[in-house]
Amino acid sequence: MVIKLIMIVVFFAAMIGVGVLYSRKSRGVDGFVLGGRSVGPWLTAFSFGTAYFSAVIFIGYAGRFGWNFGLASTWIGLGNAFIGSLLAWVVLGRRTRVMTQHLGSRTMPDFFGLRYGSRALRLVAAVIVFIFLIPYTASLFNGLAWLFQQSFSLDYMWWVIIMAVLTGIYVIVGGYMGSAVNNFIQGIVMLVGIVAVVWAVMADNGGLMEAIVKLSEASDTTAAGTEFHGAFTSFFGPEPLQLLGVVILTSLGTWGLPQMVGKFYSIKDEGAIKKGTLISTFFGLVVAGGCYFLGGFGRLYAASIEKTDAGIKFDTIIPAMLNQLEENMGGAGTWLIGLVLVLVLAASMSTLSSLAMTSASTITLDLIAPLSQKQKSEKGSMLTMRLVLAASIVIAAAIAILVVGNGELAKKLYISDLMGISWGTLAGCFLAPFLYGLFWKKTTRAAVWASFVTGLGITLTQFVLNAILKISFTNPVLAYFCGSSINAGMLAMLVGLVIVPVVSLLTRKSVSDNVDEIFSCYDRLVEVPVGTSLEKD
């Protein structure tokens, strides 16, 4: 217990120290929200990765989908690395940085308002961001609870309060740069921690090959498609279509999440984008690939996993694995669990800081400022943003304690469900209009509204039918999309990618009047070394 507490206290002290150290670079709004648009590749890549992979991934997704798909769940991690990280940087990185600077945009709702010439779009987008970041934040706190309740006697509520207070201190004081440097430190912890845990699980089961042999012998005849030996070590696992839905939502979904895309607003230059692409992809391969690979062996610890009348309690799978490791490894296990606790704290605090910063900047810049009758000074805007940031963290913590962590909702919803609702709605609404808005001049305001309506409509309809009315469908297609918030989110994204160009072609009159001037930012000439581009004869 003492070893674990010392490791956690040292970690907290480092986070607060960094926040105080970088407080001087957070005095203006641009410095506080975007780091002055001068953040290098390592900090940006690690900020992207640590905002992407949190305790929700490590505890919720890795446990649930590792159990459902076995080793095939590793495909989710690979999708996160190559689609959610590599392609996101290649496709969105440069154009996002160039156009948002040209427009003077500091948030995603602000981008919609300026790109499409609509104040209403900006306000509605801001409301969507604020509302649907709440379930994501709640799922993050919930992920922490399952692990810390099994490692310490301190109640769930107090861990939520402690993390909320300490995260609030370093984010409110240090702003974006303080968070970015802390994210770098947290990212290092996550890399080391996940490698150590994967190694420990393999060693605990006699090595990689022996662990795979044991997993191939695991069977669960109550789950469709798993009646044969080897289902959980097969290439695509027992449920390939369900696996596909998770890969698409968790990988392509990052392209439409404001807390993820916002990292590209602040990157420094072309060289930082190229390096950041490689760093971010490597980070995704190790952390996401390692998490889902680890979760694939969850069935080897079935005897230690908590069960209910409905079956396996998925959110307890990874904590149960770790507790068993601590018992089997003795003193080394204590150090390992201490490292894992710091890993989960690092993953959670980095994501929480990103969500809190996104919520605060959106509320301050896209809701309060446009509706305010009086123009605020830079100092006044900073004070408002810090107050909103503190309020956002308090609200998130209160919801985690009073709603998600206590009562019937905690029993009915898994961490992955909460995250699926958040990601599915945000990406379903924003991915298509943001992507097309960067590349296609003919994207119209009407098409953006259509994406907002379909994104909200699909995900909210699924939630009402499944979680509230509890309707079961016999039709396999309806059952697939209505039975899972993850599949509904995937559908919302794909529908948006189709409906935006179709509606744009039908509503050409609502193209922004200044669209040529907006896209002129890509035509500006710059000089580059001949090593980058050969000169013409």
Side-chain angles (χ1 to χ4, degrees):
M1 184 69 73
V2 173
I3 291 173
K4 296 174 187 176
L5 286 174
I6 290 174
M7 294 175 75
I8 291 172
V9 169
V10 170
F11 173 77
F12 279 146
M15 298 301 99
I16 294 174
V18 169
V20 173
L21 183 64
Y22 279 87
S23 60
R24 294 182 179 180
K25 295 190 176 184
S26 303
R27 292 179 178 174
V29 173
D30 267 359
F32 190 82
V33 176
L34 300 175
R37 297 187 191 266
S38 59
V39 184
W42 285 92
L43 294 185
T44 302
F46 271 67
S47 292
F48 186 92
T50 54
Y52 194 168
F53 310 117
S54 66
V56 177
I57 299 291
F58 186 70
I59 303 296
Y61 270 44
R64 179 175 183 175
F65 298 120
W67 183 273
N68 288 343
F69 308 132
L71 290 184
S73 64
T74 308
W75 283 110
I76 306 172
L78 296 177
N80 292 172
F82 291 112
I83 300 174
S85 298
L86 176 64
L87 281 182
W89 278 74
V90 171
V91 176
L92 300 178
R94 180 185 295 104
R95 293 184 82 91
T96 299
R97 172 65 169 78
V98 172
M99 184 175 282
T100 55
Q101 183 176 25
H102 180 67
L103 293 173
S105 166
R106 292 180 286 199
T107 65
M108 183 175 276
D110 192 25
F111 171 84
F112 288 132
L114 295 170
R115 167 63 180 85
Y116 298 106
S118 172
R119 183 185 181 189
L121 275 177
R122 179 184 182 184
L123 293 174
V124 171
V127 171
I128 293 172
V129 170
F130 175 68
I131 292 174
F132 287 95
L133 282 183
I134 290 174
Y136 189 10
T137 308
S139 66
L140 190 154
F141 280 120
N142 206 13
L144 276 174
W146 287 114
L147 186 59
F148 278 80
Q149 277 189 333
Q150 295 193 32
S151 298
F152 295 94
S153 57
L154 194 62
D155 187 67
Y156 163 90
M157 178 185 73
W158 291 109
W159 278 111
V160 172
I161 293 173
I162 290 171
M163 193 178 75
V165 169
L166 293 174
T167 303
I169 291 173
Y170 83 72
V171 176
I172 292 170
V173 173
Y176 185 88
M177 280 303 297
S179 296
V181 174
N182 271 328
N183 290 345
F184 179 77
I185 298 171
Q186 291 157 352
I188 296 295
V189 173
M190 291 168 67
L191 286 171
V192 174
I194 194 62
V195 170
V197 175
V198 171
W199 173 85
V201 170
M202 296 301 100
D204 190 48
N205 287 280
L208 175 61
M209 296 309 298
E210 182 63 25
I212 293 175
V213 170
K214 290 180 181 179
L215 187 61
S216 71
E217 297 171 350
S219 64
D220 182 359
T221 55
T222 63
T226 62
E227 293 85 358
F228 55 92
H229 287 300
F232 304 109
T233 55
S234 61
F235 194 68
F236 288 123
E239 299 177 279
L241 287 179
Q242 295 293 338
L243 176 63
L244 177 64
V246 181
V247 171
I248 292 177
L249 178 70
T250 61
S251 301
L252 190 60
T254 60
W255 296 32
L257 298 179
Q259 72 271 21
M260 301 300 301
V261 174
K263 306 302 181 185
F264 298 134
Y265 287 38
S266 58
I267 199 164
K268 186 176 181 180
D269 52 31
E270 178 69 20
I273 292 176
K274 292 179 179 178
K275 293 176 183 176
T277 302
L278 298 176
I279 298 167
S280 181
T281 304
F282 171 77
F283 189 90
L285 279 172
V286 175
V287 175
C291 281
Y292 287 108
F293 180 74
L294 172 69
F297 291 96
R299 288 175 179 269
L300 300 184
Y301 297 84
S304 305
I305 296 169
E306 184 178 337
K307 301 175 180 65
T308 65
D309 293 338
I312 293 294
K313 196 166 183 59
F314 295 119
D315 297 341
T316 66
I317 292 175
I318 298 298
M321 293 175 67
L322 296 174
N323 280 343
Q324 191 64 48
L325 283 176
E326 184 173 18
E327 293 178 11
N328 296 346
M329 296 177 65
T334 300
W335 285 98
L336 175 67
I337 299 307
L339 177 61
V340 171
L341 292 174
V342 175
L343 179 160
V344 175
L345 273 177
S348 301
M349 291 178 71
S350 59
T351 305
L352 179 60
S353 66
S354 179
L355 296 178
M357 184 69 74
T358 300
S359 294
S361 59
T362 296
I363 295 168
T364 305
L365 301 176
D366 301 314
L367 283 178
I368 296 176
L371 297 176
S372 177
Q373 299 292 330
K374 186 178 179 181
Q375 185 71 25
K376 289 190 176 183
S377 64
E378 188 86 352
K379 188 175 181 179
S381 296
M382 286 295 299
L383 177 60
T384 302
M385 188 169 297
R386 284 191 162 102
L387 290 174
V388 172
L389 184 56
S392 299
I393 294 175
V394 170
I395 291 171
I399 291 172
I401 294 170
L402 300 176
V403 181
V404 179
N406 182 28
E408 290 301 313
L409 185 61
K411 300 176 183 178
K412 295 177 181 178
L413 287 179
Y414 293 115
I415 294 172
S416 52
D417 293 320
L418 293 168
M419 185 174 169
I421 294 168
S422 175
W423 278 44
T425 304
L426 291 171
C429 291
F430 299 152
L431 188 154
F434 185 79
L435 178 63
Y436 286 114
L438 292 175
F439 286 88
W440 194 35
K441 290 184 179 181
K442 296 181 180 180
T443 311
T444 65
R445 283 188 294 274
V448 180
W449 283 116
S451 181
F452 285 7
V453 171
T454 55
L456 282 169
I458 291 172
T459 55
L460 291 181
T461 299
Q462 185 278 331
F463 180 76
V464 170
L465 293 176
N466 188 57
I468 298 178
L469 300 179
K470 301 185 182 300
I471 296 176
S472 299
F473 294 91
T474 55
N475 182 284
V477 176
L478 290 177
Y480 180 75
F481 289 113
C482 294
S484 166
S485 61
I486 293 168
N487 295 340
M490 175 188 67
L491 178 64
M493 289 190 297
L494 298 180
V495 168
L497 290 172
V498 174
I499 202 169
V500 166
V502 171
V503 174
S504 293
L505 293 174
L506 296 175
T507 58
R508 296 181 182 180
K509 292 184 179 179
S510 63
V511 173
S512 300
D513 296 333
N514 61 336
V515 67
D516 289 329
E517 190 279 328
I518 291 174
F519 274 76
S520 67
C521 62
Y522 299 134
D523 299 326
R524 185 167 58 90
L525 297 178
V526 295
E527 291 184 1
V528 298
V530 71
T532 301
S533 177
L534 293 175
E535 59 185 331
K536 295 181 180 179
D537 293 334

